[in-house]
Amino acid sequence: MKDSAKRFSSFISKRKVQNQLYLIFFAAIFIPVVLIGSYQVYSNRSQLTEHYEQQAYSENLRVRSILLDMTTSVYDKASYLLLDKSLENLLEKSYPSEGDARRAIDDFSDFTNLQVKDAAIEDISVYTTNPSIPDYQSVYQADDQIQKTSWYRKMEDSAAPFWVSDSVQDKFGNPHVELSLYTKVFLPKSDSFAILKMTLSNNHIKNRLETGTHQIFIWLNENAPVYSSTGSLPEISQELSSLGTPLYSGPVRLEEKEVFAGVSLLDSYYSDDTFHICVVNTDGFPYIQKVTWTYLGILALILAVTSGFIYLFSRYFAKRVATLRHAMHQASNGNYHIIDTFNGSDELSDAFFDLNLMVQDILKKEAEVYNSKLRAQELINRQQQMEFKMLSSQINPHFLYNTLETIRMRSLKAGNRDVANAVKLLGKSMRYVLDNTTTASTTLDKELDYIETYLAIQKLRFHDRINYTLKYPADMDLSTHHILPLLLQPVVENAILHGLEEVEKDGKIVIHIKQTGQVLHIKIFDNGCGMDPEEQQRLLCHMKQHETESTKSIGLYNIYQRICLCYGSQYGVSIKSKKHAGTILELTIPA
């Protein structure tokens, strides 16, 4: 025992601390949990399988008992009628007229009484060869067509009763299966026979059988359908037929599906017929699979949680050991820049605390030197900022305005009104730009006034190459709508420089504004060269994802980014264009 303990201790001590924790976890927790969980899953599957097999067994016994009771009851009623001399006299007598025969049938009330007293009997019929009896109520002539049927020929060759399952249609045309007992009525006086047919009621069979969740299938003899609780009856296979002796309950493959079934055979003691009874539970295997996967999921969750816990703890513990070891290694080499905090309050923390006390004074002195350098650098930064402010303040915007006004006045005195007008528009444009450089919002009327000033300057340059129009609803108050300043000018400039680049005259710029709900739509149209789909796609790509070193479409990129950052990604810029027809660029912003 001592030697084993030493070997185990030696084996463990040769591994790193993290690997030691993994080995202990695997041996003490992982393997036992897997073994116990696997046994529990197997045990539960076995118990559930036994439970469903017992259910199928009990349900089959119940159906078997009910079917035996119903068929025996019908046979007893048929035997009662066979012993009734009045039925024999009714079928043997020769009647002078059809009216006499009908009256005799009306006087015979046993058929009606049996149907009234027993809900299991749906119909009673008698087939006779007596030519004096017409088809009336439950009595029918066994004509040539009837005599050619298989059940009639079988009754001619045998005196024993038998069951027949026929597929018939009800009065509404719906097909259903009809189970009937055929018995021979001997007529000794006329040396002939009649056939008595008693049909079981399908509703009665359904009401008595369908009381649980199992599916019920009944066949007669060689795969003749009798009853199905699902409406369709699968064919009885050789394997399924061989399971019913005497009674089988367990897994069965039915129509390519694994189910729990109870299968048995019911032999009729008064005939050569055999009923195949099969009760099926289709929910058993899915439920067992669900329970199995649930247990496996719980087992996997337990293993995952415990494994994750030991993994995190082992990493945390190994990291603390490595941190302490690294700090001690640094201190031994004369490097005192070690961490000043250590998580935990155990023995490792105490060892680190002692180490930290040894280098604390040196770190304090180095910190003071570092702080003095920071303060010096901060003073230098402040001095540079002050110098920059002094340099920027040397350019006074008022100086520009006054200079432009002097030029305008001298142009007027010289009689050059075009130059004076151009200087006036330029000053107005510069004032708007400078006033809104640091603002976050302006009104739509001010922005459009600036755009008109900009277009007026461009018209001075290009004359008839540029014509512009501003459209908006008459009842729309532009001063109540706010917009980012300098948002439209890059779009208009792009339309002039690129859209109307090849237009020599009659160039048009149309700015159309409308409001839809809480969204403001600003469309800027030019009748220039337009773009094909590939050019549009490239422009959209540059606009939404611009390369840093590229200057192409930077104005549209800035507009798109400003709209998305200020208003949200649901707003933005869209482009519609057609080659040689022009371009429409639409901005959507909140109203």
Side-chain angles (χ1 to χ4, degrees):
M1 180 66 72
K2 291 183 178 180
D3 292 336
S4 299
K6 288 182 178 179
R7 284 195 296 270
F8 178 77
S9 176
S10 175
F11 175 79
I12 290 294
S13 61
K14 292 179 181 179
R15 271 71 185 168
K16 292 184 177 181
V17 173
Q18 190 171 2
N19 293 333
Q20 292 180 24
L21 293 174
Y22 288 158
L23 289 173
I24 294 173
F25 165 75
F26 189 80
I29 298 177
F30 190 89
I31 293 178
V33 169
V34 170
L35 293 177
I36 296 173
S38 301
Y39 173 78
Q40 188 67 31
V41 171
Y42 173 79
S43 176
N44 286 332
R45 283 183 65 91
S46 301
Q47 291 178 8
L48 287 173
T49 301
E50 183 180 354
H51 167 73
Y52 282 111
E53 289 178 355
Q54 186 62 38
Q55 270 192 344
Y57 181 88
S58 302
E59 184 68 9
N60 190 281
L61 285 180
R62 184 187 71 84
V63 174
R64 180 188 175 94
S65 175
I66 292 174
L67 183 62
L68 177 63
D69 177 68
M70 288 191 295
T71 54
T72 304
S73 176
V74 172
Y75 175 75
D76 292 339
K77 302 297 188 301
S79 300
Y80 166 79
L81 290 175
L82 294 178
L83 296 175
D84 191 356
K85 291 296 182 180
S86 58
L87 176 62
E88 184 179 323
N89 293 333
L90 173 67
L91 298 175
E92 285 187 321
K93 185 177 179 179
S94 179
Y95 298 95
S97 66
E98 289 186 2
D100 293 333
R102 288 190 176 94
R103 282 190 290 273
I105 294 173
D106 288 335
D107 294 336
F108 185 78
S109 60
D110 286 1
F111 291 164
T112 304
N113 293 336
L114 284 177
Q115 287 183 263
V116 171
K117 292 179 181 179
D118 193 350
I121 300 175
E122 181 173 343
D123 181 62
I124 301 176
S125 302
V126 175
Y127 296 89
T128 179
T129 56
N130 188 339
S132 64
I133 299 178
D135 291 347
Y136 183 67
Q137 292 187 4
S138 300
V139 181
Y140 302 93
Q141 271 291 320
D143 53 16
D144 292 338
Q145 186 178 358
I146 294 295
Q147 293 181 18
K148 291 179 182 178
T149 59
S150 59
W151 56 266
Y152 193 92
R153 292 197 301 270
K154 183 177 180 180
M155 186 59 71
E156 284 181 327
D157 300 331
S158 173
F162 58 86
W163 289 93
V164 174
S165 175
D166 290 325
S167 180
V168 298
Q169 290 185 345
D170 57 17
K171 61 182 180 179
F172 301 103
N174 299 318
H176 68 280
V177 176
E178 190 177 77
L179 182 63
S180 304
L181 177 67
Y182 289 84
T183 56
K184 181 180 285 188
V185 182
F186 292 95
L187 305 175
K189 292 181 181 180
S190 60
D191 194 20
S192 62
F193 68 91
I195 298 178
L196 175 64
K197 174 186 175 184
M198 300 188 71
T199 303
L200 267 172
S201 171
N202 283 335
N203 289 332
H204 183 75
I205 296 175
K206 181 177 181 179
N207 291 336
R208 292 200 63 184
L209 294 183
E210 292 187 16
T211 59
T213 59
H214 287 75
Q215 297 178 2
I216 302 172
F217 306 106
I218 302 175
W219 299 269
L220 175 64
N221 297 327
E222 297 298 326
N223 212 12
V226 172
Y227 178 77
S228 171
S229 60
T230 63
S232 61
L233 194 69
E235 291 188 0
I236 182 172
S237 62
Q238 188 70 25
E239 179 184 2
L240 190 63
S241 178
S242 63
L243 294 176
T245 307
L247 194 154
Y248 168 82
S249 64
V252 168
R253 194 159 191 84
L254 190 65
E255 292 187 332
E256 304 300 322
K257 187 178 182 181
E258 197 78 4
V259 297
F260 284 103
V263 184
S264 67
L265 302 179
L266 175 62
D267 294 323
S268 176
Y269 70 89
Y270 48 83
S271 69
D272 296 329
D273 299 307
T274 301
F275 291 93
H276 298 264
I277 303 171
C278 178
V279 296
V280 174
N281 187 330
T282 59
D283 298 328
F285 276 101
Y287 181 74
I288 290 177
Q289 289 297 106
K290 180 181 178 181
V291 170
T292 300
W293 283 112
T294 301
Y295 277 113
L296 291 176
I298 294 173
L299 180 62
L301 180 62
I302 293 173
L303 292 175
V305 170
T306 53
S307 300
F309 176 80
I310 197 67
Y311 172 75
L312 295 175
F313 175 77
S314 61
R315 285 198 61 184
Y316 168 75
F317 189 80
K319 185 177 180 180
R320 295 178 69 221
V321 173
T323 301
L324 178 59
R325 181 176 177 275
H326 179 68
M328 295 178 67
H329 181 73
Q330 284 182 309
S332 65
N333 291 331
N335 183 3
Y336 299 104
H337 294 281
I338 63 175
I339 59 174
D340 55 356
T341 57
F342 191 82
N343 295 330
S345 58
D346 52 7
E347 292 82 356
L348 293 177
S349 302
D350 294 337
F352 183 82
F353 180 76
D354 295 335
L355 176 65
N356 196 33
L357 287 176
M358 186 175 60
V359 298
Q360 191 173 15
D361 292 336
I362 299 175
L363 292 177
K364 286 182 179 179
K365 293 178 180 179
E366 291 184 352
E368 290 176 358
V369 174
Y370 179 74
N371 289 331
S372 64
K373 290 182 179 180
L374 286 179
R375 287 193 293 270
Q377 184 63 40
E378 185 177 357
L379 292 174
I380 294 173
N381 291 340
R382 288 181 179 178
Q383 183 179 359
Q384 290 177 348
Q385 291 177 1
M386 292 176 64
E387 291 174 356
F388 177 77
K389 289 181 179 179
M390 291 175 64
L391 179 62
S392 62
S393 64
Q394 292 175 2
I395 302 175
N396 191 340
H398 293 286
F399 171 75
L400 295 177
Y401 301 148
N402 293 335
T403 303
L404 289 174
E405 183 64 19
T406 301
I407 295 173
R408 188 179 76 87
M409 294 303 297
R410 290 194 176 187
S411 298
L412 286 174
K413 289 181 179 181
N416 196 338
R417 293 185 174 274
D418 290 339
V419 174
N421 186 38
V423 172
K424 178 182 178 181
L425 293 174
L426 178 61
K428 184 177 180 182
S429 174
M430 290 180 62
R431 181 177 294 275
Y432 180 82
V433 171
L434 292 174
D435 288 346
N436 289 278
T437 301
T438 58
T439 59
S441 175
T442 186
T443 58
L444 185 57
D445 60 335
K446 292 180 180 180
E447 179 74 8
L448 292 176
D449 182 61
Y450 165 66
I451 293 300
E452 286 190 290
T453 301
Y454 174 78
L455 287 171
I457 294 174
Q458 295 295 341
K459 189 168 180 60
L460 288 174
R461 293 178 59 198
F462 299 106
H463 302 289
D464 288 339
R465 283 184 59 191
I466 296 178
N467 299 281
Y468 58 90
T469 306
L470 176 63
K471 296 181 179 181
Y472 60 89
D475 58 346
M476 187 176 186
D477 188 1
L478 300 179
S479 62
T480 61
H481 294 272
H482 286 263
I483 188 174
L484 293 173
L486 304 174
L487 191 65
L488 304 182
Q489 186 270 337
V491 181
V492 175
E493 181 179 2
N494 189 72
I496 294 173
L497 295 180
H498 300 289
L500 301 180
E501 182 181 6
E502 300 177 2
V503 176
E504 296 183 358
K505 63 178 181 177
D506 296 330
K508 293 182 181 179
I509 300 291
V510 180
I511 301 175
H512 182 249
I513 301 173
K514 70 174 182 178
Q515 180 177 348
T516 304
Q518 296 299 319
V519 179
L520 197 64
H521 300 270
I522 304 175
K523 295 182 179 180
I524 300 173
F525 165 77
D526 68 81
N527 63 341
C529 57
M531 294 179 287
D532 55 31
E534 291 76 11
E535 291 174 327
Q536 291 184 54
Q537 187 62 35
R538 285 196 298 270
L539 181 58
L540 287 172
C541 292
H542 284 296
M543 183 177 66
K544 294 182 179 180
Q545 191 172 3
H546 198 270
E547 298 178 1
T548 306
E549 65 276 6
S550 175
T551 59
K552 187 176 181 180
S553 306
I554 191 169
L556 294 181
Y557 171 76
N558 289 336
I559 291 173
Y560 179 79
Q561 293 299 321
R562 290 177 67 194
I563 292 176
C564 291
L565 290 174
C566 184
Y567 301 127
S569 58
Q570 66 270 32
Y571 302 98
V573 182
S574 62
I575 300 173
K576 293 181 181 179
S577 184
K578 186 176 181 182
K579 200 68 175 178
H580 307 300
T583 302
I584 298 177
L585 193 143
E586 180 179 357
L587 280 67
T588 55
I589 60 175

